Amino acid sequence: MGPGPAAEFHARVRHALAAEAWIADGNFDGAVAETLLTRADLVVWLDLPLCVCLPRLVARSLRRAATGQELFAGNRETFGHLLARDSIPWSGPAHHHRDRRRWAARLVTARAAGTPPLRLDSSSAIAPALAARGLLPPTGGDT
């Protein structure tokens, strides 16, 4: 699901959530975020530090600019745009801190509603935490 008229996007989200099982991945806001949080059985918050996120943002933006990969609706990152103040590498740090505060507050509501968030704040914690909940396929020779 990508950008589009808000009413259409909200309808598509509600339709997707009507399925027996679903996974939402993104940094949603407003009514969509509230809808997702009220219907979720599990909320996983990847709250990685900026020193982890920023190099990944820069590398991903460079790769997208080099390959011409489409982001959405025909939009593409270019090397020239990477230097602009509204580019992902420049705006990433400001959004990172703002979004961390916003999600910390929002997840208090999820916790109060009976869906405690799983907050993972290091890359090394992600796979073990998900595996412990049976959310990753078995590894190794086990069948």
Side-chain angles (χ1 to χ4, degrees):
M1 285 185 225
E8 179 184 323
F9 181 66
H10 289 209
R12 290 172 36 207
V13 169
R14 286 190 301 275
H15 177 73
L17 296 182
E20 182 177 332
W22 51 269
I23 296 173
D25 171 19
N27 196 11
F28 298 101
D29 202 3
V32 170
E34 296 307 320
T35 300
L36 290 169
L37 288 173
T38 59
R39 297 191 182 179
D41 294 326
L42 174 67
V43 175
V44 178
W45 179 18
L46 299 180
D47 185 22
L48 302 177
L50 185 59
C51 64
V52 171
C53 295
L54 188 57
R56 292 177 181 183
L57 282 171
V58 170
R60 187 173 59 218
S61 292
L62 289 170
R63 183 182 70 249
R64 288 173 173 168
T67 63
Q69 177 185 347
E70 182 177 335
L71 302 176
F72 59 89
N75 292 313
R76 300 177 193 287
E77 289 183 280
T78 64
F79 287 110
H81 183 254
L82 293 180
L83 302 177
R85 294 301 251 173
D86 65 342
S87 70
I88 292 172
W90 281 100
S91 64
H95 287 214
H96 180 83
H97 296 299
R98 180 200 67 202
D99 291 344
R100 284 183 90 197
R101 288 190 302 271
R102 184 174 48 116
W103 277 104
R106 179 171 275 143
L107 292 175
V108 167
T109 305
R111 184 177 290 112
T115 307
L118 173 59
R119 179 178 174 256
L120 302 173
D121 58 4
S122 73
S123 296
S124 61
I126 296 170
L130 296 179
R133 287 161 179 79
L135 299 174
L136 294 179
T139 59
D142 300 340
T143 53

